[in-house]
Amino acid sequence: MAPNLTEKTSSDRLRVGECLVVLSSREVHLPGTRKTPRLTPKSVGVLLALARKPGQVVTREELFADVWPDTMPTNDVLTQAVTQLRKAFAATGAEDGASYIETIAKTGYRLLAPVAWEASADATAIDAPDAGGVSAAETAIAPMQFGVRGKHRRLRRHVLLVLGIVLLLSTLVMAWLLWGRAAPVAQDTTVADGNRVLGSPARPYRLITATEDVEVNPSLSPDGALVVFARERDNRSSLWIQSVGNATATPLLATPAGASDRFPVWSPNGRSVAFARFLAQGDCEVLVVSATGTGLRRVTRCDGTDMLSFDWAPDGGSLLFGSMTGRYASRGIRSLDLASGRWSSLQYAMGADDFDYAPRYSADGKKIGFVRNPQVGDMWMMDADGSNAQRLTDDAAEIRGWSWLGSDEMVFGRRIDSESRLYRLDVATRLLRDMGIDNAQSPAVSRGGGNLVFMRSHFQSGLFRIPLGANGGPPQRLFASSARDGQPMVSPDGAQLAFTSDRSGTFALWWARLNEPASLQVIEGVRPEARQPMDWAADGRRLLVTGRDVDGAPGIYEVAPEEGHWVKLAVPAGEPLQAVYGAAADSLLVVERGDDERMALTLFDRSQQPWKRLASLEGVSQVRYDRAGQRILFTRLASGGLWQAAPDLAADSVKLVHAEMPSRWRYRTWAVAANGAVEYQDISRECSSRLTAIAGDGSSQCLDATRFSAGNGLSLAPDGSAVFIALALTDSADIGMMRIPQRAPRRVMGLAKWLLP
């Protein structure tokens, strides 16, 4: 009869059916077999719990309490333990493992095989040596046991050897990385022992200019030691040069009275600088001067151009130009040979409405990068001969300057909400990373690598109501804040104002009644798009807003601002960029961008599900509906100027309203009043913010001689008596400089993520 299994025995051998379980080694033996399975400690615990009640059902709860006390295991761990026991018994060749342990559905398990501890006497008999000095049990088990254990020992030795080599190599790699790291700077640490404060965290950059003027368009010499930039003062600009340290800048050359010098670009050999000079009456010329400010010569004219861009070829013998407008207009990217003055156009694929801007050769000269349609565009790249043109980003973003980082990476500025930030782009993987630098644009990298300069702006804007024409009166500040307020859109009844602002710390949509300042409230849950204006319904109760969801996908939102309610509309368009109410109650006009990056204005009937497309016009960048004139007004990507069409977008109704206003770059700074008046806001030499009537007598009014406006939208009072506009309260820009941070390594077979370059 078996001993009481609830009592502790002196033996560590438990007989289960035909198998002998040695508890000290957790091995399962059967004489005459070559396999010796080893159990886990939890499997042994389950076996002992079942062995205490042989032939009886042991519930899962009892097993959990006995084997996994003070924990909350899942059923899976118990199932795994039982499975291992069955496999161990089956592996010895005794019987099927399931015949040893039975599963009781939804209850627990039962041990079917007879169990017994090896009695002390039996253990003595088993362990007693025979004439040869070996016990009977050892005689049966030893040949199998020691052979298997020998193999296990050899395997363990090999595994330990490999692990030792891996650990040694890891130690050497970590030691090399730690040795190569720069020693920490004390000023970079904010808090040391206890509460002792050492200083604010160091920024990844430093400002090398800090004047009251506006410094823009920086360019680095090839060795990264000198920077040339344009300094703006009194609506004019001149070129200055200084070292990347905080030395005093000096003028590169004298700028003639009434002229402005902009867009300096350093030559590959560091001896010359190419730049653009803008003269009176829209005259323009591209000049080259030595780095010492001598030897000035003109290489081409650029009269009347809009969005001029150019860069040096790697050999320094030619300049690469982007698309040009004006008197010397040309579509696409072309090269100007400086010795002969001959132009040569690159042959590559581009759409009829495409405007390719800021072309630049890669460091190895094999690629050309450029921005296609920078107002709502993306980064592109092609081979130096014009082949294999491909899009690198797909954001319809407002790109604000860019540069190569070597030959396989780019850095560019992109407007996000109310600010511009720097991003770096891996051209092979298309991976985009935020560099953590806010209010930054116009990056430039030294051709030799290492240094990066950029323009860092300090801009704060406020909302103003400015009377127009004979009404006179001073500007009125609306809903004052210390943040960036923009896109003020007055309702058709003139009583409400919707606008965007980061006054709460995040960029959001705001609404208020103009005569009730206490009504000001934020519309929760809507992240508006800063580039596109909002549009009020005729009854002033609803508002169409372009926004982005939590994943950054663009969409159109219909907002009831007074109630704070909104809904995202099911616009059947891949990338809706703007929407306005049409002539009919259920018609909407949507500016969209298709998969081919082509822009179009589409008229939808939303009374049907899905929405029905009624008509479409290609190449439209922004739209307004003139209710008084019963016409659609819009701008185009391909050219400056204002166009109109009938409410049904009939192709034969399209005609030009004005050939020059708005310009291609300032395509958002125009508005339509309820009485049909159309006004355009731009900049002149004498006025920082000027409003000009596109229709009628073309009269102009200077809104503010010194303060620039935010370039993302304005609105007119219903009767055209006033303009609602965002003007700069503080507006300055400095040049920042930093070392280019090493990029994260690309993953190779999943291993490179563990190693730094």
Side-chain angles (χ1 to χ4, degrees):
M1 185 174 179
N4 186 1
L5 293 175
T6 62
E7 299 177 0
K8 177 67 178 176
T9 68
S10 60
S11 173
D12 72 339
R13 289 179 169 86
L14 177 65
R15 181 72 62 179
V16 181
E18 301 178 10
C19 300
L20 177 65
V21 181
V22 181
L23 302 180
S24 58
S25 62
R26 305 196 307 278
E27 294 176 337
V28 181
H29 299 280
L30 183 68
T33 63
R34 300 179 60 85
K35 296 183 178 180
T36 307
R38 187 183 298 274
L39 303 174
T40 65
K42 294 300 182 184
S43 295
V44 172
V46 172
L47 176 61
L48 291 176
L50 295 174
R52 292 191 188 98
K53 296 181 179 181
Q56 300 180 35
V57 177
V58 182
T59 66
R60 288 177 175 269
E61 290 72 17
E62 291 177 307
L63 291 171
F64 285 143
D66 195 357
V67 183
W68 289 273
D70 303 322
T71 62
M72 298 181 65
T74 64
N75 288 329
D76 292 340
V77 296
L78 177 56
T79 302
Q80 292 173 5
V82 173
T83 300
Q84 189 192 38
L85 287 171
R86 287 171 171 166
K87 288 182 178 180
F89 294 139
T92 60
E95 295 180 28
D96 180 12
S99 65
Y100 273 62
I101 301 176
E102 178 186 11
T103 300
I104 307 302
K106 299 182 180 181
T107 304
Y109 299 93
R110 179 169 59 183
L111 187 60
L112 299 178
V115 296
W117 291 103
E118 292 286 358
S120 299
D122 294 339
T124 304
I126 292 175
D127 293 337
D130 58 10
V134 181
S135 70
E138 289 174 341
T139 302
I141 297 175
M144 171 271 298
Q145 184 179 20
F146 291 115
V148 174
R149 287 184 176 178
K151 292 180 180 179
H152 288 172
R153 282 196 293 269
R154 288 194 296 272
L155 179 60
R156 282 198 296 271
R157 282 199 298 268
H158 293 157
V159 171
L160 291 174
L161 178 60
V162 171
L163 290 176
I165 295 174
V166 171
L167 289 173
L168 178 61
L169 292 176
S170 301
T171 302
L172 292 175
V173 170
M174 290 301 298
W176 175 74
L177 292 175
L178 291 173
W179 175 80
R181 289 180 60 184
V185 181
Q187 287 79 2
D188 291 347
T189 304
T190 56
V191 179
D193 299 333
N195 295 320
R196 183 162 55 90
V197 177
L198 300 181
S200 60
R203 292 175 174 174
Y205 64 89
R206 57 188 174 87
L207 298 178
I208 60 176
T209 64
T211 70
E212 61 181 5
D213 298 320
V214 177
E215 285 92 13
V216 297
N217 308 134
S219 178
L220 272 172
S221 59
D223 61 1
L226 297 172
V227 59
V228 61
F229 57 87
R231 174 171 287 172
E232 296 185 348
R233 179 185 300 173
D234 299 328
N235 292 339
R236 293 176 175 83
S237 64
S238 56
L239 300 187
W240 294 68
I241 188 172
Q242 75 169 67
S243 70
V244 294
N246 289 87
T248 302
T250 58
L252 177 63
L253 75 168
T255 302
S260 287
D261 293 339
R262 296 189 178 97
F263 310 136
V265 185
W266 220 292
S267 66
N269 60 13
R271 299 175 184 174
S272 304
V273 175
F275 65 96
R277 175 167 287 172
F278 297 89
L279 307 168
Q281 308 303 321
D283 293 340
C284 170
E285 53 189 7
V286 177
L287 307 168
V288 173
V289 67
S290 72
T292 59
T294 60
L296 181 68
R297 64 188 179 100
R298 186 176 71 189
V299 297
T300 189
R301 298 194 65 85
C302 46
D303 297 346
T305 191
D306 184 24
M307 298 169 61
L308 178 67
S309 62
F310 53 87
D311 192 27
W312 291 86
D315 61 3
S318 61
L319 291 176
L320 192 66
F321 282 77
S323 300
M324 287 181 63
T325 60
R327 193 180 307 170
Y328 302 92
S330 177
R331 291 186 67 251
I333 298 171
R334 56 181 179 159
S335 179
L336 173 65
D337 184 79
L338 297 181
S340 64
R342 294 179 179 175
W343 290 94
S344 58
S345 298
L346 268 69
Q347 302 301 315
Y348 64 101
M350 64 180 302
D353 300 322
D354 289 335
F355 188 92
D356 293 341
Y357 179 76
R360 293 188 174 91
Y361 283 98
S362 59
D364 58 11
K366 297 180 179 180
K367 302 287 185 181
I368 294 176
F370 59 95
V371 183
R372 176 159 288 178
N373 304 323
Q375 314 99 310
V376 283
D378 290 297
M379 298 300 307
W380 280 68
M381 179 182 69
M382 62 185 175
D383 294 340
D385 61 0
S387 61
N388 299 321
Q390 53 186 305
R391 185 171 59 187
L392 301 178
T393 63
D394 188 20
D395 295 322
E398 184 179 321
I399 306 295
R400 296 193 170 188
W402 78 280
S403 183
W404 283 98
L405 285 172
S407 297
D408 58 357
E409 200 174 12
M410 297 174 173
V411 56
F412 63 88
R414 174 189 171 184
R415 183 187 176 95
I416 298 292
D417 297 335
S418 60
E419 66 174 351
S420 180
R421 301 179 64 86
L422 291 187
Y423 293 83
R424 59 192 302 172
L425 170 68
D426 188 316
V427 300
T429 64
R430 307 294 197 269
L431 183 62
L432 197 63
R433 289 188 176 91
D434 190 324
M435 296 184 67
I437 305 175
D438 57 353
N439 299 311
Q441 57 186 311
S442 303
V445 178
S446 55
R447 290 180 182 263
N451 285 348
L452 165 69
V453 292
F454 57 91
M455 183 188 96
R456 190 171 194 278
S457 62
H458 309 272
F459 185 79
Q460 176 195 345
S461 56
L463 304 180
F464 290 86
R465 181 188 182 276
I466 303 178
L468 298 178
N471 296 295
Q476 176 189 1
R477 179 81 183 274
L478 304 173
F479 310 113
S481 75
S482 60
R484 295 186 181 98
D485 300 331
Q487 297 175 286
M489 296 295 155
V490 65
S491 61
D493 59 4
Q496 306 169 72
L497 191 73
F499 62 95
T500 58
S501 176
D502 59 357
R503 60 176 61 203
S504 65
T506 58
F507 191 69
L509 175 65
W510 291 76
W511 169 90
R513 292 193 172 275
L514 286 170
N515 60 351
E516 299 176 18
S519 65
L520 182 65
Q521 65 180 22
V522 64
I523 309 300
E524 299 286 354
V526 177
R527 179 186 173 188
E529 172 60 65
R531 293 173 304 166
Q532 306 294 343
M534 296 162 275
D535 187 57
W536 284 95
D539 60 7
R541 299 177 60 185
R542 294 164 297 150
L543 188 69
L544 289 176
V545 180
T546 304
R548 293 184 179 268
D549 59 21
V550 293
D551 298 320
I556 304 299
Y557 296 79
E558 190 167 37
V559 181
E562 190 164 9
E563 292 81 17
H565 300 156
W566 57 267
V567 62
K568 185 176 182 180
L569 300 181
V571 183
E575 194 167 5
L577 301 179
Q578 184 200 359
V580 301
Y581 292 102
D586 291 313
S587 66
L588 249 61
L589 292 153
V590 177
V591 176
E592 59 177 320
R593 191 175 81 149
D595 295 336
D596 57 356
E597 204 182 3
R598 300 297 299 277
M599 302 276 288
L601 172 62
T602 302
L603 177 63
F604 286 101
D605 178 4
R606 62 169 175 168
S607 65
Q608 305 184 40
Q609 295 298 330
W611 294 9
K612 182 179 180 180
R613 291 175 178 263
L614 302 178
S616 185
L617 289 176
E618 294 287 334
V620 175
S621 58
Q622 200 156 97
V623 64
R624 309 283 196 282
Y625 180 55
D626 176 13
R627 293 187 179 91
Q630 291 292 297
R631 58 178 179 167
I632 307 298
L633 297 172
F634 60 92
T635 56
R636 291 186 180 274
L637 279 177
S639 63
L642 185 67
W643 302 74
Q644 74 173 37
D648 61 357
L649 293 186
D652 57 1
S653 68
V654 176
K655 63 180 182 179
L656 185 66
V657 177
H658 198 285
E660 298 178 0
M661 298 186 291
S663 71
R664 186 196 305 267
W665 186 248
R666 299 183 65 82
Y667 71 104
R668 299 171 298 183
T669 59
W670 60 286
V672 183
N675 63 2
V678 183
E679 301 279 353
Y680 169 58
Q681 185 270 317
D682 66 348
I683 302 169
S684 69
R685 293 181 181 274
E686 295 75 25
C687 182
S688 296
S689 297
R690 179 182 65 177
L691 199 67
T692 302
I694 292 182
D697 59 3
S699 60
S700 294
Q701 175 178 337
C702 184
L703 303 178
D704 199 292
T706 59
R707 292 186 293 192
F708 293 97
S709 74
N712 59 351
L714 67 155
S715 63
L716 297 172
D719 59 358
S721 62
V723 61
F724 293 82
I725 192 169
L727 294 177
L729 301 177
T730 59
D731 187 13
S732 62
D734 297 309
I735 305 301
M737 181 268 175
M738 63 184 291
R739 294 290 295 172
I740 300 173
Q742 287 188 332
R743 69 181 178 188
R746 296 191 183 113
R747 295 188 178 188
V748 181
M749 300 298 290
L751 297 177
K753 66 180 179 180
W754 303 108
L755 301 176
L756 294 174

Short mmCIF file of all heavy atoms in Angstrom, two decimals, residues 87-110:
data_model
loop_
_atom_site.label_atom_id
_atom_site.label_comp_id
_atom_site.label_asym_id
_atom_site.label_seq_id
_atom_site.Cartn_x
_atom_site.Cartn_y
_atom_site.Cartn_z
N LYS A 87 3.88 15.06 -22.21
CA LYS A 87 4.96 14.81 -23.16
C LYS A 87 6.10 14.05 -22.51
O LYS A 87 6.73 13.18 -23.12
CB LYS A 87 5.45 16.13 -23.75
CG LYS A 87 4.49 16.79 -24.71
CD LYS A 87 5.09 18.07 -25.29
CE LYS A 87 4.14 18.71 -26.29
NZ LYS A 87 4.69 19.95 -26.85
N ALA A 88 6.41 14.39 -21.26
CA ALA A 88 7.50 13.71 -20.57
C ALA A 88 7.20 12.24 -20.36
O ALA A 88 8.06 11.37 -20.57
CB ALA A 88 7.76 14.41 -19.23
N PHE A 89 5.96 11.93 -19.93
CA PHE A 89 5.61 10.54 -19.73
C PHE A 89 5.58 9.78 -21.06
O PHE A 89 5.98 8.61 -21.14
CB PHE A 89 4.25 10.43 -19.03
CG PHE A 89 4.25 10.96 -17.62
CD1 PHE A 89 3.18 11.71 -17.12
CD2 PHE A 89 5.31 10.71 -16.77
CE1 PHE A 89 3.19 12.18 -15.83
CE2 PHE A 89 5.33 11.18 -15.48
CZ PHE A 89 4.27 11.93 -14.99
N ALA A 90 5.08 10.43 -22.11
CA ALA A 90 5.03 9.77 -23.42
C ALA A 90 6.42 9.59 -23.99
O ALA A 90 6.69 8.61 -24.70
CB ALA A 90 4.15 10.58 -24.38
N ALA A 91 7.34 10.54 -23.70
CA ALA A 91 8.68 10.47 -24.26
C ALA A 91 9.47 9.28 -23.73
O ALA A 91 10.39 8.79 -24.38
CB ALA A 91 9.44 11.77 -23.97
N THR A 92 9.12 8.82 -22.51
CA THR A 92 9.85 7.67 -21.96
C THR A 92 9.44 6.37 -22.62
O THR A 92 10.04 5.32 -22.39
CB THR A 92 9.58 7.56 -20.44
OG1 THR A 92 8.18 7.38 -20.23
CG2 THR A 92 10.07 8.79 -19.72
N GLY A 93 8.35 6.44 -23.42
CA GLY A 93 7.89 5.24 -24.10
C GLY A 93 7.00 4.38 -23.26
O GLY A 93 6.64 3.26 -23.64
N ALA A 94 6.62 4.88 -22.08
CA ALA A 94 5.78 4.07 -21.20
C ALA A 94 4.41 3.88 -21.82
O ALA A 94 4.01 2.79 -22.17
CB ALA A 94 5.66 4.75 -19.84
N GLU A 95 3.63 4.90 -21.95
CA GLU A 95 2.30 4.87 -22.55
C GLU A 95 2.05 6.26 -23.13
O GLU A 95 2.86 7.17 -23.02
CB GLU A 95 1.23 4.54 -21.50
CG GLU A 95 1.35 3.15 -20.90
CD GLU A 95 0.24 2.91 -19.87
OE1 GLU A 95 -0.83 3.52 -20.02
OE2 GLU A 95 0.48 2.15 -18.93
N ASP A 96 0.86 6.42 -23.72
CA ASP A 96 0.45 7.74 -24.16
C ASP A 96 0.35 8.64 -22.93
O ASP A 96 -0.24 8.27 -21.92
CB ASP A 96 -0.90 7.64 -24.87
CG ASP A 96 -1.39 8.99 -25.34
OD1 ASP A 96 -0.59 9.94 -25.33
OD2 ASP A 96 -2.57 9.10 -25.72
N GLY A 97 0.90 9.87 -23.02
CA GLY A 97 0.90 10.77 -21.87
C GLY A 97 -0.48 11.11 -21.39
O GLY A 97 -0.71 11.34 -20.20
N ALA A 98 -1.47 11.10 -22.31
CA ALA A 98 -2.84 11.43 -21.90
C ALA A 98 -3.43 10.36 -21.00
O ALA A 98 -4.38 10.62 -20.25
CB ALA A 98 -3.71 11.63 -23.14
N SER A 99 -2.87 9.14 -21.06
CA SER A 99 -3.39 8.07 -20.18
C SER A 99 -2.92 8.23 -18.75
O SER A 99 -3.43 7.56 -17.86
CB SER A 99 -2.97 6.70 -20.73
OG SER A 99 -1.55 6.57 -20.67
N TYR A 100 -1.96 9.09 -18.53
CA TYR A 100 -1.48 9.35 -17.18
C TYR A 100 -2.32 10.43 -16.51
O TYR A 100 -2.64 10.35 -15.33
CB TYR A 100 -0.01 9.80 -17.22
CG TYR A 100 0.97 8.65 -17.21
CD1 TYR A 100 1.00 7.72 -18.25
CD2 TYR A 100 1.87 8.49 -16.16
CE1 TYR A 100 1.90 6.68 -18.24
CE2 TYR A 100 2.78 7.45 -16.13
CZ TYR A 100 2.80 6.54 -17.18
OH TYR A 100 3.70 5.51 -17.16
N ILE A 101 -2.64 11.52 -17.27
CA ILE A 101 -3.37 12.65 -16.69
C ILE A 101 -4.60 12.90 -17.53
O ILE A 101 -4.52 13.09 -18.75
CB ILE A 101 -2.48 13.90 -16.66
CG1 ILE A 101 -1.20 13.66 -15.83
CG2 ILE A 101 -3.26 15.09 -16.08
CD1 ILE A 101 -0.24 14.81 -15.83
N GLU A 102 -5.76 12.92 -16.87
CA GLU A 102 -7.03 13.12 -17.56
C GLU A 102 -7.50 14.55 -17.33
O GLU A 102 -7.42 15.09 -16.22
CB GLU A 102 -8.08 12.14 -17.02
CG GLU A 102 -9.45 12.32 -17.67
CD GLU A 102 -10.51 11.45 -17.04
OE1 GLU A 102 -10.23 10.88 -15.95
OE2 GLU A 102 -11.62 11.33 -17.59
N THR A 103 -8.03 15.18 -18.40
CA THR A 103 -8.60 16.51 -18.30
C THR A 103 -10.08 16.40 -17.99
O THR A 103 -10.82 15.72 -18.70
CB THR A 103 -8.42 17.29 -19.61
OG1 THR A 103 -7.03 17.41 -19.90
CG2 THR A 103 -9.04 18.69 -19.51
N ILE A 104 -10.51 17.10 -16.95
CA ILE A 104 -11.91 17.15 -16.59
C ILE A 104 -12.45 18.50 -17.07
O ILE A 104 -12.06 19.55 -16.55
CB ILE A 104 -12.12 17.01 -15.07
CG1 ILE A 104 -11.40 15.74 -14.55
CG2 ILE A 104 -13.61 16.96 -14.74
CD1 ILE A 104 -11.87 14.44 -15.22
N ALA A 105 -13.28 18.47 -18.10
CA ALA A 105 -13.71 19.69 -18.76
C ALA A 105 -14.27 20.71 -17.78
O ALA A 105 -15.08 20.38 -16.91
CB ALA A 105 -14.77 19.36 -19.82
N LYS A 106 -13.80 21.97 -17.90
CA LYS A 106 -14.26 23.12 -17.13
C LYS A 106 -14.07 22.95 -15.63
O LYS A 106 -14.66 23.68 -14.83
CB LYS A 106 -15.74 23.41 -17.42
CG LYS A 106 -16.02 23.74 -18.87
CD LYS A 106 -17.49 24.07 -19.08
CE LYS A 106 -17.77 24.39 -20.54
NZ LYS A 106 -19.20 24.73 -20.77
N THR A 107 -13.26 21.95 -15.22
CA THR A 107 -13.06 21.73 -13.78
C THR A 107 -11.59 21.69 -13.42
O THR A 107 -11.08 22.52 -12.68
CB THR A 107 -13.74 20.44 -13.33
OG1 THR A 107 -15.12 20.48 -13.69
CG2 THR A 107 -13.61 20.26 -11.82
N GLY A 108 -10.88 20.66 -13.91
CA GLY A 108 -9.48 20.51 -13.54
C GLY A 108 -8.88 19.27 -14.16
O GLY A 108 -9.19 18.92 -15.30
N TYR A 109 -8.03 18.56 -13.37
CA TYR A 109 -7.32 17.40 -13.89
C TYR A 109 -7.34 16.28 -12.85
O TYR A 109 -7.53 16.50 -11.64
CB TYR A 109 -5.87 17.79 -14.23
CG TYR A 109 -5.77 18.85 -15.29
CD1 TYR A 109 -5.70 20.20 -14.94
CD2 TYR A 109 -5.76 18.51 -16.65
CE1 TYR A 109 -5.62 21.19 -15.91
CE2 TYR A 109 -5.68 19.49 -17.62
CZ TYR A 109 -5.60 20.83 -17.26
OH TYR A 109 -5.54 21.78 -18.21
N ARG A 110 -7.07 15.04 -13.34
CA ARG A 110 -7.01 13.88 -12.45
C ARG A 110 -5.85 13.00 -12.89
O ARG A 110 -5.67 12.74 -14.09
CB ARG A 110 -8.32 13.07 -12.51
CG ARG A 110 -8.31 11.82 -11.63
CD ARG A 110 -9.69 11.22 -11.52
NE ARG A 110 -10.24 10.86 -12.83
CZ ARG A 110 -11.46 10.35 -13.00
NH1 ARG A 110 -12.25 10.19 -11.94
NH2 ARG A 110 -11.88 10.04 -14.20
#
